[in-house]
Amino acid sequence: MGLFSFLKKKSDPADAELVVLDTRLRAGEPSRLDSEAERERQRAIARATAAKIDEIELAMASDIFDDEPAWGSAARHPAAAAPAAPQAVPAEELPDAAALPASAPAVEESAILYANGQAAAAESLLRDSLQDFGRHERLPWWMLFDLYQATGQEAAFESIAIDYASHFETSPPAWQPLLPGPGTPQSAGVAATESLCPVLDESIAPRLARLLASNAPLVRIELGAVRSADAAGCAQLLQALQTLRKEGRELVLAGADTLMTTLRPMLAVGDRASGEAPWLLLLELLLLSNREKDFEESAMDYCVTFEVSPPSFEAPKRVSTAAPATGSGDRFLLPALATGDCAALLDAIDAYAAGRDLLVLDCSRLARMDYACATALQGRLRVHTEQGRRVELRELNHLAAALLRLLGYGQETGKLRDSLRLYPHRY
């Protein structure tokens, strides 16, 4: 209770009674609150009063100090904060409809520099902007995070993440490199997508069967909604992931961290009650996420628990991770680099659009798009919106989103106003 401490009335009845009680007890005088029930009632009144003041303070503090856009990093506020009220629309469903702040030349210039392949110049400009524009706006920080992840600068990312967490008093983002791993193709294509239910059990079999039977070269599995799991569901998902990996299919795992967080409480060293499937699924997810150190530690725990040799780590190929996103249905996955002559990419998008009313372009692995490709893509997408289709660019990094905003993406008027929307990923 800080903001309203000066507004408290000296004659607050509950406070007055507690003060009198404390004075009488210290003086050895008898108190009228002799019964334990009466004392507990007064404590409850005091606690309720304090909680109400704290609730009002929290609401006012949020109104005053929270400058984050609606689609921003609401999930990364400190855990000590009061639970957020349910929202009618999830934050990740809100598009990047808001315009850039009135004075953001560093954002626009750095987006253009980065698009043209001048990452070092863009980095320098963004870092300089942190001292003024970045003191109150998070966008230049987010753009730096994406730049470092796109260029593989993990040490610089971790350094700026610590400064970000300290400055905004929020949790720092996790390192998720955008660079394609060894053996990961640069091609684009339709991704067969399935979102698994909140309960990971045997009911997931039809969804996994569809993915395995699909002819799509790219497969995306949404795991971010899973909140509980049983041995049967873990075994089925494990088998599907291993099959996809052995077949060499290109795989995108969205929300893998969420599922691992769900699995870990089920597993205790020396306790075999959960069975081997959840353990092996956790190890498979760690392998596919290329987290070798965590894999080795969990493999040792598995070895001790079941007294068997643990599986060995094998660097994943043709596998990438992404943040969880809502929405089902097949997506068109953009390549890591969209530069130069992108006629083949545009033709592939046209083929994907045939017979669809909604085009979802998955940008989760898009590290950079240059000015020429962005302009050509805008022209081709405008043809689709004029034909009545809706277009969504999902999970854009903030450098690409700034470039597309600068080019006027999503700013059409009239019937086309809501036909093309940008959805940057969240920090």
Side-chain angles (χ1 to χ4, degrees), residues 34-256:
D34 291 327
S35 70
E36 184 62 27
E38 182 64 9
R39 282 194 291 270
E40 183 56 32
R41 188 180 74 83
Q42 290 297 336
R43 294 191 192 103
I45 292 173
R47 285 194 296 268
T49 302
K52 186 62 177 177
I53 294 175
D54 286 343
E55 180 182 351
I56 296 172
E57 284 183 348
L58 179 62
M60 176 169 282
S62 297
D63 290 340
I64 295 173
F65 301 112
D66 190 2
D67 59 344
E68 185 174 1
W71 47 266
S73 54
R76 292 190 178 274
H77 285 303
Q87 298 180 1
V89 181
E92 62 190 340
E93 281 300 293
L94 297 177
D96 181 21
L100 285 172
S103 178
V107 168
E108 297 175 349
E109 292 174 19
S110 58
I112 295 174
L113 288 170
Y114 178 75
N116 290 336
Q118 298 174 272
E123 176 192 357
S124 178
L125 192 60
L126 287 170
R127 292 192 72 99
D128 290 344
S129 74
L130 298 184
Q131 302 301 319
D132 40 68
F133 181 68
R135 293 185 63 185
H136 306 291
E137 296 288 343
R138 304 192 185 199
L139 183 55
W141 296 82
W142 296 343
M143 294 173 72
L144 267 175
F145 290 145
D146 288 337
L147 187 150
Y148 290 141
Q149 291 179 114
T151 54
Q153 300 183 61
E154 185 173 4
F157 176 93
E158 297 297 345
S159 176
I160 201 75
I162 294 173
D163 294 339
Y164 174 81
S166 174
H167 184 73
F168 291 105
E169 298 183 352
T170 187
S171 301
W175 168 256
Q176 289 185 329
L178 289 173
L179 284 174
T184 301
Q186 298 281 325
S187 60
V190 178
T193 304
E194 283 293 342
S195 299
L196 300 188
C197 303
V199 180
L200 191 70
D201 56 19
E202 59 184 6
S203 66
I204 66 173
R207 295 176 180 270
L208 297 178
R210 174 185 176 276
L211 288 179
L212 293 173
S214 171
N215 293 324
L218 308 171
V219 174
R220 179 185 173 103
I221 304 179
E222 288 283 350
L223 305 171
V226 178
R227 295 295 179 268
S228 63
D230 63 20
C234 290
Q236 291 189 17
L237 179 57
L238 172 65
Q239 182 179 6
L241 293 176
Q242 291 177 336
T243 299
L244 291 169
R245 179 158 59 91
K246 291 175 182 177
E247 290 179 352
R249 305 274 291 277
E250 187 171 357
L251 176 63
V252 177
L253 286 179

Side-chain angles (χ1 to χ4, degrees), residues 111 114 366-369 396-405 422:
Y114 178 75
L366 175 66
R368 184 169 70 89
M369 177 182 290
L396 280 161
N397 71 63
H398 293 278
L399 290 155
L403 175 69
L404 300 186
R405 282 192 302 255
L422 309 179

